[in-house]
Amino acid sequence: MNSEQTNYGLSISQEELNTPEPFENPLPRAVLRLNTHVLLDGDWRFALDTEDTGLRDGWHLGHYYEHIAQWPGSIENHMAEAHSQSLPAAWHDSVVAWYEREFTLPEMAESLNRSMLQLTFGACGYETRVWLNGRLLRTIEGEEIHYGEYTSFSYELKAELLRPNNRLTVRIADTMDAETPRGKQESHVYKRGGIWYQTNTGAVRSVWLEMVERNRLRSRVGVVSVVEDQLVRFTFTPRIHDPGLYTLRLQVYERNAAPDAAPLATSDFSLPLEAGQRQQRVVMEVPDAKLWSTETPNLYRLVAQLIDQEGYSAQIETHFGLRKIEARGRYVYLNNEPIYLDGILYQPGTATYAEIRRHMYAMKELGCNLVRVHIAGVDPRIYNLADELGLLLWVEVPSPHSSTPRSRENHRAELLRMLMLIGTHPSVVIWSLYNEDWGAQDIATNPETRKYIVEMYHYMQLAYPQFLVVDNDGWHHISYEGRLKSDLLTAHLYTPDLGRWQELLDRLVQGELVGTAAFPLVVGDPFFYRKQVPLLVSEWGGFGFSDYGGPKDAESRTEDIRRFKQELRARPIAGDVYTQATNIEDERNGLIDPHTGALSVPPGLLDSRTVN
């Protein structure tokens, strides 16, 4: 992307400047705003609020912090470092931590009648409060308390609150509450060990300052392609302080076009905008556009400008690709062509972005065209990387661990936060609402649980037609009036025995919904498979994990994978997801070194095109 600064920036000294990483997008977000940012990562003062008295005692007004912590980083690591421990510290009920640092007010490059300072947290939580010079801030969405720990949130810093030297105070709280979205972190219901992992909460991603326009487009863009007509539907979120008539100007360029290149397509849209923010969809034709696929990941650069009546322009940029994903009969279609999904389960855990990059390249080298990012929130740059590599992504909502009205509301809020920030990417093709009943344990017996999942499935179909949606991955899919409320019929099948594997696959393709997976594949009303939806074995293997026949040496594991994969491809199955990419905590069944990205099995092993 063109990284030249336009309109506003921050005028800062060399000592204050944080040098960006040497690739296009150093911040954990997908959409770029062409200004200068100042990272507030690094040393923060840190204190654990063991009795949770900090709010009562006014720590945000002034407090002695006895420790120093590195942001970004987890509370668990900061607790351990404070006590000179080498391993992350555990907590068993609740944890409250406070962080504080100062920053010097950058010299404003433009007057504040057009611009303002914005503070953004890449992710933090689960419960976050922020004070500026002792004054509690509200997010742009109006929250005094931000809930969630997997997506970014921002604050507009009012000029009257800013000083030459400013104090930023952050309170982060989390609990083992099973009603909050936790993914595979331990809770009061699921304890650490086996497939359940230590908590990793708190200041988990970067925090930064940047100058933004008062009237602008938020850093979130939705993209839906109509490939037959070469149309793209873009959804933008204008943020307006000064109501009036604005022009939204879109320009589409070749991804690596020269700065003086003419756009491939351009279009203006006149928008009367009120104060506040709202979403706005527009449609644009991109003539002769090349489609994005796993073999040819063609991307285009979108420049979007919001222009006021005086001609002043606020600009964002992103990449996008035109692609269509569809579940039709027995198969999944990409751009109207059937594609077999050679998938792998990926749990990045606490991996750095540099390690994630190595993992992604290694998964591509294994022959995968699909990565199932398992029940976790990740650095959003992973989606950009998948766009570039031509890797399809299957993403999932980090699940709560109990099924209650409150857990469903928390689940819905987390899903909506994630959708808002992941709608740009052609690589993201599948979403799971739940996995193996986690957070929906009563799905087979509670109509309210099934009703909620069906409602969210229908919402996704209408609001995000660019994705396939799985209601509850693995088993217990929902049938209503004989209609499956999932675009894919998925099963988790684990056995180290080849004969048993053949038997399970045969029963699956014959439509035997009971006795194939650990639980019945469908609940609710009777459902008759009859090859009307694609079948996916969305977890299998686990060779190396003690519960599934391991550990095994690399040679025997390679042979098992090859033989099991051959059986999959000999049947009318739409795809599979091998478990898993890297080792994580007690799960020692990875094929990729978690640090170096080196393969422990031959390249191309999971590419079904090489199966013979």
Side-chain angles (χ1 to χ4, degrees):
M1 288 186 180
N2 180 358
S3 61
E4 292 180 3
Q5 180 178 331
T6 62
N7 296 336
Y8 302 126
L10 301 179
S11 179
I12 54 180
S13 69
Q14 188 62 40
E15 290 75 18
E16 294 169 315
L17 180 64
N18 285 278
T19 304
E21 298 175 50
F23 48 89
E24 292 174 338
N25 186 11
L27 299 178
R29 64 181 179 191
V31 177
L32 294 188
R33 189 175 303 281
L34 302 184
N35 56 11
T36 304
H37 65 272
V38 176
L39 281 170
L40 298 183
D41 294 353
D43 288 345
W44 287 61
R45 295 186 293 276
F46 167 74
L48 203 63
D49 190 355
T50 54
E51 303 299 322
D52 195 10
T53 60
L55 287 174
R56 182 198 67 191
D57 296 341
W59 285 17
H60 56 283
L61 299 175
H63 180 72
Y64 171 71
Y65 293 83
E66 59 268 42
H67 303 292
I68 298 295
Q70 282 289 312
W71 192 308
S74 70
I75 288 175
E76 293 76 15
N77 282 332
H78 296 158
M79 292 167 60
E81 290 162 1
H83 296 91
S84 301
Q85 299 171 357
S86 59
L87 296 176
W91 48 274
H92 302 289
D93 185 30
S94 63
V95 62
V96 180
W98 291 69
Y99 298 80
E100 191 168 273
R101 66 157 291 167
E102 281 77 36
F103 68 89
T104 301
L105 182 65
E107 179 183 341
M108 303 300 179
E110 292 281 349
S111 64
L112 291 178
N113 64 350
R114 286 196 183 277
S115 62
M116 59 177 56
L117 202 59
Q118 179 173 282
L119 172 71
T120 298
F121 290 77
C124 187
Y126 182 72
E127 175 188 311
T128 306
R129 290 177 170 91
V130 180
W131 290 263
L132 176 66
N133 300 321
R135 297 285 295 272
L136 183 64
L137 300 178
R138 291 178 179 267
T139 66
I140 293 177
E141 284 69 31
E143 309 162 308
E144 287 189 351
I145 305 173
H146 175 77
Y147 294 99
E149 59 182 302
Y150 305 108
T151 56
S152 64
F153 53 99
S154 298
Y155 301 87
E156 295 172 340
L157 305 185
K158 296 180 179 179
E160 58 267 27
L161 299 182
L162 291 166
R163 303 170 183 168
N165 293 291
N166 297 274
R167 177 169 50 90
L168 198 60
T169 309
V170 181
R171 177 188 183 271
I172 304 171
D174 202 355
T175 72
M176 293 285 181
D177 180 7
E179 293 181 312
T180 61
R182 306 199 59 77
K184 291 180 71 172
Q185 298 182 73
E186 69 173 314
S187 70
H188 291 311
V189 171
Y190 299 125
K191 298 299 183 181
R192 183 185 180 190
I195 65 169
W196 303 103
Y197 309 142
Q198 175 169 321
T199 54
N200 182 66
T201 191
V204 292
R205 285 190 208 137
S206 292
V207 56
W208 64 91
L209 289 167
E210 60 185 324
M211 190 65 69
V212 297
E213 298 84 1
R214 285 171 50 83
N215 307 299
R216 63 193 184 278
L217 301 171
R218 297 291 305 276
S219 296
R220 48 191 68 173
V221 180
V223 178
V224 178
S225 305
V226 185
V227 300
E228 293 84 356
D229 297 327
Q230 297 178 321
L231 293 178
V232 185
R233 297 170 182 158
F234 296 107
T235 300
F236 296 94
T237 304
R239 171 64 172 168
I240 302 299
H241 286 268
D242 306 305
L245 185 65
Y246 290 81
T247 297
L248 174 62
R249 176 167 297 159
L250 304 185
Q251 296 173 304
V252 174
Y253 296 86
E254 295 282 0
R255 182 188 177 196
N256 297 314
D260 58 349
L264 299 175
T266 185
S267 191
D268 285 3
F269 305 87
S270 181
L271 298 178
L273 297 175
E274 301 295 327
Q277 71 178 31
R278 68 172 194 181
Q279 287 189 328
Q280 176 67 49
R281 171 177 279 188
V282 296
V283 181
M284 188 175 181
E285 184 178 5
V286 185
D288 302 319
K290 299 175 183 177
L291 301 184
W292 183 97
S293 71
T294 55
E295 299 299 322
T296 55
N298 296 304
L299 294 171
Y300 294 91
R301 182 166 63 99
L302 172 70
V303 175
Q305 297 171 306
L306 189 65
I307 305 170
D308 65 20
Q309 290 178 289
E310 298 178 4
Y312 184 82
S313 172
Q315 179 173 312
I316 59 173
E317 287 192 10
T318 192
H319 289 139
F320 72 96
L322 281 76
R323 66 105 179 103
K324 177 183 180 182
I325 195 75
E326 189 178 15
R328 191 194 313 163
R330 296 187 317 187
Y331 300 108
V332 173
Y333 287 75
L334 179 64
N335 301 332
N336 295 317
E337 297 290 336
I339 181 172
Y340 186 87
L341 300 177
D342 288 309
I344 192 167
L345 191 79
Y346 180 45
Q347 303 185 91
T350 58
T352 66
Y353 180 64
E355 290 170 334
I356 289 173
R357 282 180 63 88
R358 297 184 197 115
H359 301 162
M360 296 285 281
Y361 278 96
M363 288 184 277
K364 187 80 172 179
E365 188 180 4
L366 277 170
C368 298
N369 60 19
L370 172 76
V371 176
R372 182 175 163 216
V373 184
H374 190 37
I375 211 109
V378 295
D379 188 315
R381 287 173 292 183
I382 190 175
Y383 310 117
N384 286 344
L385 183 57
D387 291 345
E388 297 167 5
L389 291 177
L391 276 172
L392 302 172
L393 294 182
W394 178 339
V395 299
E396 303 174 324
V397 186
S399 63
H401 290 179
S402 64
S403 183
T404 67
R406 179 171 172 262
S407 80
R408 289 190 282 277
E409 183 56 38
N410 288 336
H411 177 276
R412 180 180 182 275
E414 198 66 65
L415 170 63
L416 296 181
R417 284 190 290 263
M418 293 178 69
L419 282 166
M420 183 65 69
L421 297 171
I422 307 179
T424 310
H425 304 281
S427 58
V428 179
V429 293
I430 303 173
W431 281 76
S432 286
L433 299 178
Y434 286 91
N435 175 78
E436 291 187 354
D437 304 352
W438 302 340
Q441 292 91 335
D442 56 358
I443 190 172
T445 58
N446 188 347
E448 290 302 312
T449 299
R450 294 199 297 274
K451 178 183 177 183
Y452 165 73
I453 296 173
V454 169
E455 287 175 350
M456 296 315 297
Y457 171 73
H458 287 158
Y459 167 78
M460 293 281 287
Q461 281 191 315
L462 291 172
Y464 295 91
Q466 69 267 44
F467 304 129
L468 301 180
V469 181
V470 177
D471 53 351
N472 177 53
D473 187 47
W475 48 69
H476 282 167
H477 299 281
I478 299 171
S479 171
Y480 179 73
E481 297 180 346
R483 300 177 183 181
L484 196 67
K485 297 304 176 179
S486 178
D487 293 323
L488 306 171
L489 183 58
T490 68
H492 294 177
L493 306 180
Y494 285 109
T495 177
D497 179 76
L498 182 62
R500 175 63 173 162
W501 178 244
Q502 294 166 329
E503 176 192 349
L504 291 175
L505 293 181
D506 286 339
R507 297 180 66 179
L508 180 67
V509 299
Q510 291 165 12
E512 296 185 27
L513 304 181
V514 177
T516 303
F519 296 95
L521 288 187
V522 177
V523 296
D525 297 327
F527 175 75
F528 302 96
Y529 166 57
R530 302 296 194 274
K531 302 177 182 178
Q532 60 180 303
V533 292
L535 277 176
L536 267 77
V537 180
S538 52
E539 287 187 27
W540 68 277
F543 306 134
F545 190 41
S546 57
D547 289 353
Y548 304 128
K552 292 188 175 184
D553 60 75
E555 184 176 347
S556 60
R557 188 189 306 189
T558 296
E559 185 57 31
D560 282 346
I561 293 171
R562 184 172 287 118
R563 289 185 296 176
F564 276 54
K565 188 81 171 182
Q566 288 171 344
E567 297 297 333
L568 283 161
R569 293 302 281 125
R571 292 164 175 80
I573 290 173
D576 67 84
V577 178
Y578 180 79
T579 305
Q580 62 183 336
T582 62
N583 293 340
I584 178 169
E585 296 198 19
D586 296 329
E587 288 193 275
R588 316 298 294 176
N589 53 355
L591 306 180
I592 300 167
D593 186 284
H595 302 298
T596 68
L599 299 182
S600 62
V601 295
L605 181 63
L606 296 180
D607 188 343
S608 64
R609 295 170 300 182
T610 65
V611 171
N612 51 42

